[in-house]
Amino acid sequence: NEFQYKEMFFLTGRPIELSGTVQVKPGRTRGDQEEIRYTYKLENQEEEVRINRTVTVTNTVSKYENQTITKGELTKYSETLRIGGQRYDLEDYTMYRSVVTDHQPAIDYYSGNWTVRKVYSINRGEGRTIVETVGELVGYKQAWGDTETQKMSIRISSERNRPENEEGNTGKEEWSGTIDLITSINRTRDLTYVPNLPTQISFEGGYLLTEQEESVLNYTYNLPNFDEDGSVINYSRNRGENTISLTKVPTQKRLPIPQVKDVRGHWAEADIMRLYSLGVFDWKDNYFGARLPMTRSQFARAIALTLELKPKEEKNSVQSILGRNNANQNSGQSKFSDVPVTHPDYPYVQLIEEKGIIAGIGGGLFGPDKALTRAQAITIIIRALGLQVLAPTPGYSTGYRDDNAIPSWARDEIYVAKELGLVVGSGGYLYPNEIMTRAETAVLLNKLITYLQKDLRNDYRERIIYYR
């Protein structure tokens, strides 16, 4: 629970980079309230700045159906701050933060705002500095990566009684400055195929799963200029921009080597082998059957394992996508008469039905052995992401030449999938009611993984950081 940490320090009127550690420790939990304590140890030896800071935040959690609202309040704050021979004592502080999280089946999306105000006394009464911050954040958490981007606007105002100089002049000195910061914290999971160099080996290569955390801070500032004695130079400003980053050492894990005999040279071989390595496809069969139709229950299993979905109540009853091949079967009675609890795909069918991703075919039936259509597959994926709300007001066209063939229940999801680049079509046609082969399903699921790894992160990070 201790992490490397960096922050930019502007209290002296110029940017100084501090580095050190932050320790995060959960505190007491009472009803809907929980405490978290943060302990910072930071310094910049060259600039002679050292900070020891302990912050306790009390979060109050309220739940509304699939949403959670977390209200945070700064309940304890202590800080020891030394800048060369100068001393800054924290006199007063306030912080309020509110974050709303929308829990979709495969992703938690969240957004929030906060305000902070801190007042420092300089050298025990020599002056006072006020730091006021307003900020907003947006982020998501899902199986293939997390991203949180924050935007902050800081205003610093300082007043100080200057000591007598060589000319015998004294007086009150005042200055103010503004800083705008954007910081993004990312956890990424990437899959890379690693070929083996020797030819006399039982397998050609395999997949490597790499997990890494990276934080990026971009800031611009408008501060005063100071002379050699540290006095403010009137009508002169120090303006600038910079970016700093902090990257953790990545963790790596080799994935199992599947022994599939009928996909060598197939146009979807890479996609199929990738999902086999992840455990999305069942290892019991050495033959994939690329041209065979994907059944509804098989796709329920594949989408649950691809997205690492877990039951609402029993959080650990579905294994990690890199763990064992079979989920634990839940006790109880099946909602579908044609998917008994003894069915090998029962846990996954039950799971995605509970999450509202897929429904039965009527009459208490699920149709586990029925072939999956393209419209059904696309609808399931977009509902898992919770992005069907991005479709425009009804009456629009999806742009496909066979737009009239798209079922009404799949129109919004297909429109969104096309906009996200998850589906393209062939010659302007989607063929929504055609059967999905197992090979086509593998390609679609890999597009989904790539979207979650890269495209979603770009929208939450690059587009915000580099937007002007």
Side-chain angles (χ1 to χ4, degrees), residues 29 56-57 80-81 88 105 181 202 216 251 267 291 298 315 383 451 455:
T29 299
T56 300
V57 178
T80 302
L81 203 166
Y88 286 71
L181 302 97
S202 61
V216 177
T251 60
W267 61 270
R291 295 183 179 181
Q298 288 171 347
K315 296 296 183 181
R383 288 181 181 176
Y451 169 78
D455 297 351

Side-chain angles (χ1 to χ4, degrees), residues 384-450:
L385 299 177
L387 296 180
Q388 61 271 21
V389 295
L390 299 181
T393 303
Y396 60 85
S397 171
T398 61
Y400 289 110
R401 292 183 178 182
D402 52 355
D403 179 79
N404 291 334
I406 297 175
S408 58
W409 48 263
R411 178 167 293 275
D412 286 352
E413 287 79 2
I414 288 174
Y415 177 92
V416 173
K418 182 183 179 184
E419 292 296 306
L420 297 179
L422 290 174
V423 294
V424 178
S426 176
Y429 291 88
L430 179 65
Y431 304 109
N433 300 306
E434 285 197 357
I435 301 303
M436 288 281 288
T437 66
R438 289 169 62 81
E440 290 172 334
T441 302
V443 173
L444 181 59
L445 290 176
N446 273 291
K447 283 186 177 181
L448 173 61
I449 292 174
T450 300

Side-chain angles (χ1 to χ4, degrees), residues 328-339:
N328 296 326
Q329 294 186 356
N330 297 328
S331 59
Q333 186 175 358
S334 174
K335 292 185 178 181
F336 303 107
S337 60
D338 55 352
V339 188

Side-chain angles (χ1 to χ4, degrees), residues 193 195-196 198-199 201-206 257-274 276 286-291 439:
Y193 182 78
N196 289 325
T199 57
I201 191 170
S202 61
F203 60 97
E204 295 179 348
I257 310 299
Q259 303 295 325
V260 187
K261 299 178 180 180
D262 61 344
V263 298
R264 183 182 292 273
H266 191 278
W267 61 270
E269 177 183 359
D271 295 285
I272 295 168
M273 297 299 284
R274 193 183 191 201
Y276 261 110
N286 291 331
Y287 294 91
F288 178 65
R291 295 183 179 181

Side-chain angles (χ1 to χ4, degrees), residues 92-119:
D92 190 24
Y93 59 85
T94 56
M95 187 277 283
Y96 297 100
R97 179 182 63 196
S98 182
V99 179
V100 58
T101 303
D102 187 29
H103 304 284
Q104 292 297 324
I107 306 180
D108 287 344
Y109 303 93
Y110 60 93
S111 177
N113 300 80
W114 76 89
T115 59
V116 178
R117 187 177 189 271
K118 297 188 289 184
V119 180

Side-chain angles (χ1 to χ4, degrees), residues 186-215:
N186 300 274
R187 179 186 65 88
T188 59
R189 298 174 74 194
D190 292 317
L191 283 171
T192 307
Y193 182 78
V194 182
N196 289 325
L197 294 179
T199 57
Q200 301 178 55
I201 191 170
S202 61
F203 60 97
E204 295 179 348
Y207 281 94
L208 176 69
L209 179 70
T210 302
E211 185 168 335
Q212 188 166 21
E213 293 184 21
E214 177 191 24
S215 301

Side-chain angles (χ1 to χ4, degrees), residues 29-96:
T29 299
R30 294 180 178 177
D32 60 353
Q33 290 188 334
E34 59 180 7
E35 285 186 351
I36 303 178
R37 186 174 67 185
Y38 304 86
T39 303
Y40 302 81
K41 294 183 179 179
L42 308 169
E43 67 176 349
N44 184 314
Q45 294 183 353
E46 183 178 347
E47 299 287 348
E48 298 183 339
V49 178
R50 180 173 293 131
I51 297 178
N52 290 320
R53 178 193 303 144
T54 301
V55 181
T56 300
V57 178
T58 299
N59 292 319
T60 303
V61 180
S62 303
K63 295 183 179 181
Y64 302 87
E65 295 184 349
N66 289 330
Q67 297 181 1
T68 301
I69 296 179
T70 304
K71 179 182 177 182
E73 184 176 355
L74 196 62
T75 50
K76 294 180 182 178
Y77 193 120
S78 63
E79 190 171 68
T80 302
L81 203 166
R82 296 290 185 269
I83 307 172
Q86 306 295 315
R87 173 173 175 168
Y88 286 71
D89 294 316
L90 187 66
E91 287 186 342
D92 190 24
Y93 59 85
T94 56
M95 187 277 283
Y96 297 100

